[in-house]
Amino acid sequence: MNRISILALTNYNMKINNLHISSLNQLKEINFNFTFPNGHPRAGEALDKVCFIGQSGTGKTSLLKVIGGIIERGFRRKGYAYQIAVESADKSLRLTVDNSIKGIAVGHIFQNNSSRNVTNDKLNDEYIKLVQECNPLIIYMPANFLSKEIGKSDDINKMEESKVYSFTSENIQSIWHKILDDIKKHKSHEIEIRTKIQELSKVSDLPAKAIKDILNDLYDELSRLEEVENNPLKKIANECLDIVLSNFKLRVDTKFSVTENLDTIDFIRIIDKNDNPVPNGVLSTGTLQFILSSLPFYLLKPNNTIILFDEPERSLYPDIQKMLVNHYNKFTNNSQFFYATHSPIVASCFDPWEVFELKFNNEGNVYIEQYYEGDRHVNNYKIHPKYLTYELILKEVFDVKNTDGDDRARLLTELIMLEEKLKQFKLDGDNTSDSFKTTMEEYQRIGKLLSWPVKFD
Amino acid sequence: MRFITKTLTLATKYKQWHDELQKDNHPLYTSSSHKHYYSIVANLLSVQGGVCAYTEAVLCSPDTVSIDKWVDGEFQRFDCFGQLDHFDPRLKENNGWLWDNFFVIHTDINIKEKRSNIVTHLKPDTPGFSISDYLDYNIEHHIFYPKVDLDNELQQSLLNDIDYLGLNHGTIVYMRKMSLMPFLTKRRYNSLTDEEAKSQLYQFFTAYEMAVEKVMALDN
């Protein structure tokens, strides 16, 4: 029987502090403690960010989907049964549900020191009350979200009541429509003013002074719209995209263009360092990934939101990967991120209590590698990704022990042998013989190949 | 890599079968599916002290294959990090079950491209074999390298042997470093006697022997 339980800490914010899965594919009786450990100033509170790592097939993406599914659909999640408990931050309200019996949700509500049982429908009502203040409720970025075609028309009304921004869904166009609504309104307004200016120049039956006054007002309005604080596109450029696009020698084009298509993302135009436009169709996959993943966070301003992000590192160079977690986080408020990653660079941005390494045991079931010894206390963690080099993260966190590669190992052995020979030459007082010179040249040659600091101790 | 006395006294059923095999006409080597495979592995692990024959990385506790676990000269299927290796790959085809050619080695160094090469000098059951005749040990990087007083041709040959046997394979080097450093550090600052260190050590014995001498000389 599949059974999933979530303990959620909430004060109309949906920070999940515990997830228990009894059985879901290869995940059996597995418990995720998403709270700060003992000894931490925020001990017991839900974590702000979580990072799932593990070999392919260990269930990282499934976990994101499970969390998203339960939070999105409340207690009517179909397809599997689960247990769920939601608790307010002040502990005055706690809602637990056992939906592990097929089709029947048995609920228990503890409120103001009293408790009562509830039925299916009332359970859902209570759940809705808990999440209604969250806006948006969920943002879900799947690993393949770039492959979702943007620009096809679909029913925008579908999004009107939804607080779920899942980039897996069919109505992807509606999601972007909603995200970019402010910019489109601004652009529409700008076009409207420019049209009026054009039309006014054709009007001959108004006094010249009147025309001049109207034109002045319209130009003032245009100037006002162009100011950074009133121009969402300039704000996107300044506050969200340009700081990273500069790494790609690109920036957002904030100048007005009449060729813009307000029905697609294309009206956020990118230009190169010489102001040449770079059409979205020829932007690199990494650049597009960065732009399309940043915009929802910046424009939706997530507040009390569960954010699920699968493989944020996709197509991105290491230096950009390094800044992703902080980049996304700065646009959110009181939200909780769940990342799934294969990137040691992304993993290096997390404290050890935020990292959940999923591994297979001999029976093929998944377990969580425990990073602490003894009590779950900040002082008892033996692995700290933030303190490790990337090589050590590969070795210690990702269990890739052979980071050198066989070719390097072979050459390194030669280099060490040559180094020992040089020491012998030194002991013998020989620094002029042909043999010494040959050895030194070879040592330096191999040293360069290995990026080895040449030493003369 | 240390000298191994390769007695075949536990896997008696295999020995009986082996002794009746015709030279150059062995049955096809079928790896772990063969009825004697685990008996061979267990007997080898017993004489190898539970460690990889080449790298000395631990594969199982010696107790795992102790004499009391054997039944009628056979050993049942069991889990360990090791795999059976044909030291000379040329013998695999027609003499695939030859005891003299077998060792149990760490899974990570059993790389087909490497183990299909001929190792010329470093066979750990060669009578009188001593690794210190051929190799030295670098305590900064924890890797073995050919002794510098050997002639160049032999050094090049040993570089190949080190490579083919995986003595400096990245995984092994890291394990060796992480395993030995606590012992070597304690020895350097005299918080552990050599006797205590050796009694606690369960792998990389040769590397320890070579390294501790150099470590103790560091502050002199």
Side-chain angles (χ1 to χ4, degrees), chain A residues 396 402 410 413 420-421, chain B residues 141 145 155 160 168 170 174:
Chain A
E396 295 295 332
N402 187 15
R410 164 72 189 239
T413 307
E420 292 299 325
K421 282 186 178 181
Chain B
H141 303 288
Y145 61 94
Q155 283 175 345
N160 289 335
N168 290 337
Y174 187 64

Side-chain angles (χ1 to χ4, degrees), chain A residues 168-183:
Chain A
T168 57
S169 65
E170 295 300 315
N171 55 333
I172 198 90
Q173 169 70 1
S174 302
I175 292 175
W176 282 110
H177 174 86
K178 205 169 179 183
I179 289 173
L180 300 169
D181 198 38
D182 281 349
I183 305 173

Side-chain angles (χ1 to χ4, degrees), chain B residues 6-219:
Chain B
K6 225 165 93 179
T7 52
L8 178 53
T9 54
L10 294 169
T12 52
K13 285 274 175 61
Y14 160 69
K15 184 178 189 313
Q16 191 178 354
W17 179 75
H18 169 271
D19 290 347
E20 290 171 1
L21 295 174
Q22 287 185 320
K23 190 186 175 198
D24 298 333
N25 195 25
H26 282 205
L28 184 68
Y29 179 74
T30 50
S31 188
S32 59
S33 62
H34 194 273
K35 63 178 178 177
H36 292 307
Y37 180 87
Y38 286 100
S39 295
I40 299 167
V41 169
N43 198 138
L44 282 166
L45 282 170
S46 174
V47 298
Q48 292 175 199
V51 300
C52 169
Y54 311 151
T55 66
E56 296 182 14
V58 69
L59 301 177
C60 72
S61 162
D63 291 344
T64 307
V65 291
S66 60
I67 192 165
D68 56 301
K69 308 280 190 339
W70 290 78
V71 179
D72 296 334
E74 289 183 306
F75 207 89
Q76 295 300 306
R77 183 189 179 99
F78 69 109
D79 291 327
C80 82
F81 294 123
Q83 294 174 347
L84 208 49
D85 178 56
H86 293 84
F87 185 82
D88 185 342
R90 295 170 298 187
L91 298 177
K92 189 173 180 178
E93 187 174 347
N94 297 321
N95 294 281
W97 295 101
L98 187 64
W99 171 252
D100 286 346
N101 199 40
F102 278 142
F103 290 102
V104 179
I105 66 173
H106 194 277
T107 305
D108 284 4
I109 64 161
N110 195 16
I111 303 163
K112 192 176 178 185
E113 297 76 42
K114 298 281 183 190
R115 296 301 307 122
S116 58
N117 290 295
I118 313 299
V119 174
T120 49
H121 301 286
L122 305 179
K123 188 166 189 280
D125 62 344
T126 305
F129 174 79
S130 173
I131 195 74
S132 58
D133 291 343
Y134 300 99
L135 305 184
D136 209 334
Y137 191 72
N138 180 286
I139 56 171
E140 187 180 355
H141 303 288
H142 288 269
I143 66 174
F144 287 99
Y145 61 94
K147 288 174 74 100
V148 294
D149 56 356
L150 301 173
D151 68 63
N152 280 341
E153 193 176 337
L154 180 55
Q155 283 175 345
Q156 291 305 313
S157 180
L158 288 169
L159 279 170
N160 289 335
D161 284 4
I162 291 169
D163 189 20
Y164 302 156
L165 294 173
L167 299 188
N168 290 337
H169 183 274
T171 304
I172 300 297
V173 169
Y174 187 64
M175 287 166 54
R176 198 157 59 211
K177 187 176 182 178
M178 299 305 278
S179 175
L180 293 185
M181 278 309 289
F183 290 104
L184 295 173
T185 304
K186 285 181 179 175
R187 285 293 296 126
R188 182 178 182 181
Y189 299 110
N190 293 322
S191 71
L192 194 72
T193 66
D194 193 48
E195 197 174 48
E196 288 168 334
K198 285 176 177 169
S199 71
Q200 293 172 26
L201 209 61
Y202 55 88
Q203 60 181 345
F204 305 124
F205 312 105
T206 305
Y208 171 80
E209 290 281 0
M210 289 177 154
V212 73
E213 198 176 321
K214 294 185 176 185
V215 166
M216 297 307 283
L218 280 176
D219 303 313

Side-chain angles (χ1 to χ4, degrees), chain A residues 393-412:
Chain A
I393 288 175
L394 281 173
K395 290 179 192 295
E396 295 295 332
V397 182
F398 286 76
D399 293 328
V400 181
K401 303 298 186 196
N402 187 15
T403 54
D404 273 3
D406 289 342
D407 290 342
R408 181 176 174 84
R410 164 72 189 239
L411 216 51
L412 186 60

Side-chain angles (χ1 to χ4, degrees), chain A residues 8-20:
Chain A
L9 184 72
T10 176
N11 185 13
Y12 300 120
N13 62 10
M14 288 301 294
K15 283 197 177 175
I16 299 165
N17 63 15
N18 196 275
L19 168 66
H20 181 84

Side-chain angles (χ1 to χ4, degrees), chain A residues 29-297:
Chain A
E29 297 299 341
I30 193 165
N31 197 74
F32 297 87
N33 184 346
F34 296 140
T35 62
F36 288 96
N38 293 334
H40 192 280
R42 294 175 63 189
E45 287 183 35
L47 297 168
D48 299 325
K49 61 184 192 300
V50 167
C51 180
F52 296 121
I53 64 170
Q55 187 59 264
S56 296
T58 47
K60 301 183 298 296
T61 301
S62 297
L63 279 169
L64 296 187
K65 288 179 177 173
V66 162
I67 293 168
I70 292 176
I71 300 300
E72 176 186 352
R73 296 170 217 176
F75 302 125
R76 290 191 168 168
R77 173 79 170 122
K78 290 180 180 174
Y80 51 80
Y82 52 84
Q83 274 192 332
I84 184 168
V86 183
E87 188 177 62
S88 64
D90 62 2
K91 312 286 184 187
S92 64
L93 175 64
R94 179 183 166 85
L95 179 61
T96 65
V97 178
D98 186 345
N99 198 25
S100 55
I101 302 167
K102 192 178 178 184
I104 303 169
V106 180
H108 204 69
I109 292 178
F110 303 85
Q111 193 166 26
N112 299 325
N113 298 320
S114 65
S115 64
R116 58 197 158 91
N117 291 324
V118 284
T119 62
N120 266 357
D121 288 343
K122 286 198 174 171
L123 274 175
N124 231 39
D125 291 345
E126 295 291 346
Y127 181 78
I128 289 166
K129 276 188 212 168
L130 286 172
V131 303
Q132 66 188 356
E133 297 298 320
C134 304
N135 191 25
L137 177 59
I138 300 172
I139 297 175
Y140 179 31
M141 295 283 189
N144 61 344
F145 81 97
L146 271 188
S147 66
K148 303 292 174 187
E149 196 170 359
I150 302 167
K152 300 290 184 193
S153 63
D154 52 19
D155 184 3
I156 288 171
N157 293 327
K158 274 198 245 173
M159 280 298 296
E160 290 305 310
E161 298 302 319
S162 178
K163 293 179 176 182
V164 177
Y165 291 78
S166 172
F167 289 82
T168 57
S169 65
E170 295 300 315
N171 55 333
I172 198 90
Q173 169 70 1
S174 302
I175 292 175
W176 282 110
H177 174 86
K178 205 169 179 183
I179 289 173
L180 300 169
D181 198 38
D182 281 349
I183 305 173
K184 292 172 79 167
K185 283 176 181 164
H186 179 273
K187 280 288 167 193
S188 297
H189 189 37
E190 192 174 354
I191 291 170
E192 186 185 337
I193 293 170
R194 289 180 186 275
T195 306
K196 280 183 182 172
I197 291 171
Q198 278 186 332
E199 287 173 351
L200 205 58
S201 62
K202 299 173 191 168
V203 176
S204 58
D205 55 346
L206 279 175
K209 184 175 183 311
I211 292 175
K212 189 181 173 188
D213 288 346
I214 295 170
L215 279 175
N216 281 343
D217 288 347
L218 289 171
Y219 280 117
D220 284 349
E221 179 63 4
L222 264 187
S223 297
R224 193 187 66 78
L225 286 176
E226 283 300 305
E227 290 168 3
V228 172
E229 61 268 29
N230 299 318
N231 185 328
L233 203 53
K234 283 186 176 173
K235 287 172 83 172
I236 285 175
N238 289 352
E239 298 171 7
C240 178
L241 295 182
D242 277 1
I243 191 168
V244 175
L245 287 179
S246 62
N247 289 278
F248 315 137
K249 310 299 177 200
L250 300 171
R251 59 192 169 88
V252 175
D253 184 4
T254 56
K255 293 192 297 292
F256 176 80
S257 169
V258 292
T259 60
E260 291 157 358
N261 178 0
L262 297 188
D263 288 333
T264 75
I265 186 79
D266 286 346
F267 71 85
I268 294 182
R269 291 173 301 130
I270 306 299
I271 52 177
D272 66 16
K273 61 181 180 178
N274 298 319
D275 288 351
N276 297 314
V278 184
N280 286 353
V282 298
L283 280 174
S284 73
T285 313
T287 309
L288 208 53
Q289 155 98 0
F290 171 74
I291 293 171
L292 295 183
S293 61
S294 296
L295 284 175
F297 295 114

